[in-house]
Amino acid sequence: MNGPRAKQRRELLRQMIRIRRFEERCVELYSAAAIRGFMHLCIGEEAVAAGIMHAAGPDDPVVSTYREHGHALARGIPMEAVLAEMYGRTNGCSRGRGGSMHLFDAGHRFYGGNAIVAGGLPVAVGLALADRMSGRPRATVCLFGDGAVAEGEFHECLNLAALWRLPVLFCCENNLYAMGTAIERAQAETDLATRAASYGLSSWAVDGMDAVAVSEAAERALRSIRGGSGPCFLELRTYRFRAHSMYDPERYRDKSEVQEWKRRDPIERMSTLMRDEGELGDREIATIESEVDKEIRNAIAAAEAGPLEPVEDLTRFVYSERS
């Protein structure tokens, strides 16, 4: 089975496994103090990263959040550059100055990584406006969490993008918790797709634990945006299996709830589907795991060998450098 559907599923599965194994190793490296600072994991939410980036074009700008390891990897930023950034080394994608929450790579049109909740939305709207004014046929992909819905930027940006019909795909990763606050304790209307539609955008909810569903929804939305119909909003209903961050004691949700969501693990779901339809066997899974393991080992070696920022360079880039 090597048709287009099987190839799409295999690529989505490979990306999800790659993201999952990378973050699992990051937990070990963090515990060993090789990675410092804050770190937020997307384990459980891999279908969103794989599906959205599979649909986005190579020239489309991407704006992300502080939970962006998966977005960056699926976008094509080399794993070595991502991990070196988390190690604080100058071969990192932000020269080691940003760390886990500030991955940035203009070459891959990946504009953060942003530590501020909803902070990426105005950036995305600005990028879309610039592309529209310049006549470039791009669509900006803007990822953010459900916690952003409580921020003023969310409403200002959706209104302005709809009013000016800007080419933006708003992708809300609704994992049901804004840090430790359950969505029903903070939002009077928990159907975020309905709420976004009130601004006049095309908006719908998607099973965020199904990478194929995410990819197809994003493709449909991007076709509409490129056709001139204005921005779209996807509410990607998903769940993070781990705590909000490495410092989160996770006392705000029952373990039984987490276990219930793990039954919808996007990797297991895709693997089972492909096995049942004869698209995947043990040999293919072993090959993917082996390739990913080698990529991670190479990334660790590159990060550990990467140089630290020289002290005399610490004030560089405070202002733009003219060539």
Side-chain angles (χ1 to χ4, degrees):
M1 295 271 186
N2 288 308
R5 186 183 67 173
K7 288 182 179 178
Q8 180 203 30
R9 287 176 174 176
R10 189 175 297 117
E11 174 56 21
L12 292 170
L13 178 64
R14 189 186 72 84
Q15 285 292 1
M16 291 194 291
I17 291 175
R18 189 167 167 257
I19 294 166
R20 176 76 60 90
R21 299 293 175 257
F22 173 78
E23 289 207 321
E24 288 172 342
R25 194 58 191 275
C26 285
V27 172
E28 298 173 5
L29 295 168
Y30 193 93
S31 299
I35 298 173
R36 298 171 185 268
F38 289 99
M39 189 170 78
H40 306 78
L41 305 173
C42 70
I43 290 175
E45 301 182 13
E46 296 91 346
V48 173
I52 293 293
M53 296 309 161
H54 189 269
D59 286 336
D60 292 335
V62 176
V63 179
S64 184
T65 70
Y66 51 73
R67 200 183 303 282
E68 87 279 39
H69 305 157
H71 304 156
L73 293 174
R75 182 59 179 174
I77 300 176
M79 189 179 287
E80 293 182 3
V82 172
L83 192 59
E85 184 59 38
M86 296 166 72
Y87 266 64
R89 306 302 174 103
T90 57
N91 54 335
C93 57
S94 302
R95 288 183 58 87
R97 294 186 169 206
S100 170
M101 294 197 288
H102 298 96
L103 304 178
F104 186 97
D105 188 332
H108 286 86
R109 305 195 62 73
F110 191 85
Y111 299 102
N114 195 316
I116 307 301
V117 174
L121 278 89
V123 176
V125 170
L127 287 165
L129 176 61
D131 284 334
R132 216 267 298 277
M133 292 178 69
S134 300
R136 295 185 287 256
R138 298 170 179 163
T140 298
V141 176
C142 180
L143 295 124
F144 51 92
D146 51 285
V149 177
E151 300 293 331
E153 294 102 316
F154 171 84
H155 303 278
E156 293 163 354
C157 289
L158 263 65
N159 178 65
L160 197 63
L163 180 66
W164 291 350
R165 303 178 70 80
L166 296 177
V168 187
L169 174 56
F170 294 103
C171 302
C172 178
E173 293 182 282
N174 181 5
N175 64 20
L176 304 179
Y177 291 91
M179 294 184 71
T181 302
I183 189 170
E184 65 269 17
R185 295 175 66 88
Q187 301 292 337
E189 173 56 77
T190 59
D191 187 328
L192 303 184
T194 296
R195 197 165 180 187
S198 70
Y199 287 104
L201 301 92
S202 296
S203 175
W204 66 97
V206 183
D207 181 354
M209 307 299 277
D210 181 343
V212 173
V214 172
S215 180
E216 291 178 349
E219 289 172 3
R220 172 188 163 195
L222 288 166
R223 278 196 303 274
S224 173
I225 293 168
R226 295 190 210 284
S229 298
C232 288
F233 179 98
L234 300 180
E235 180 192 349
L236 303 151
R237 294 175 176 172
T238 184
Y239 198 82
R240 57 175 163 76
F241 295 163
R242 295 187 63 95
H244 168 73
S245 71
M246 300 302 289
Y247 295 106
D248 177 10
E250 204 178 355
R251 295 173 179 161
Y252 46 83
R253 60 183 186 180
D254 292 337
K255 291 181 179 177
S256 60
E257 178 186 297
V258 180
Q259 292 304 314
E260 184 63 29
W261 273 91
K262 284 185 176 179
R263 295 180 184 176
R264 298 175 58 188
D265 187 320
I267 295 175
E268 291 299 320
R269 183 175 179 171
M270 180 73 79
S271 300
T272 300
L273 176 65
M274 294 180 69
R275 286 179 188 276
D276 290 348
E277 298 193 6
E279 297 175 352
L280 188 74
D282 291 340
R283 180 180 298 178
E284 287 83 1
I285 286 284
T287 298
I288 293 173
E289 293 281 5
S290 175
E291 291 172 351
V292 169
D293 181 65
K294 180 179 179 182
E295 185 181 13
I296 292 171
R297 284 189 278 110
N298 289 340
I300 293 172
E304 292 180 346
L308 293 167
E309 183 92 70
V311 173
E312 57 270 26
D313 283 355
L314 290 181
T315 58
R316 286 187 67 191
F317 311 119
V318 175
Y319 298 100
S320 299
E321 294 185 347
R322 297 181 183 277
S323 58

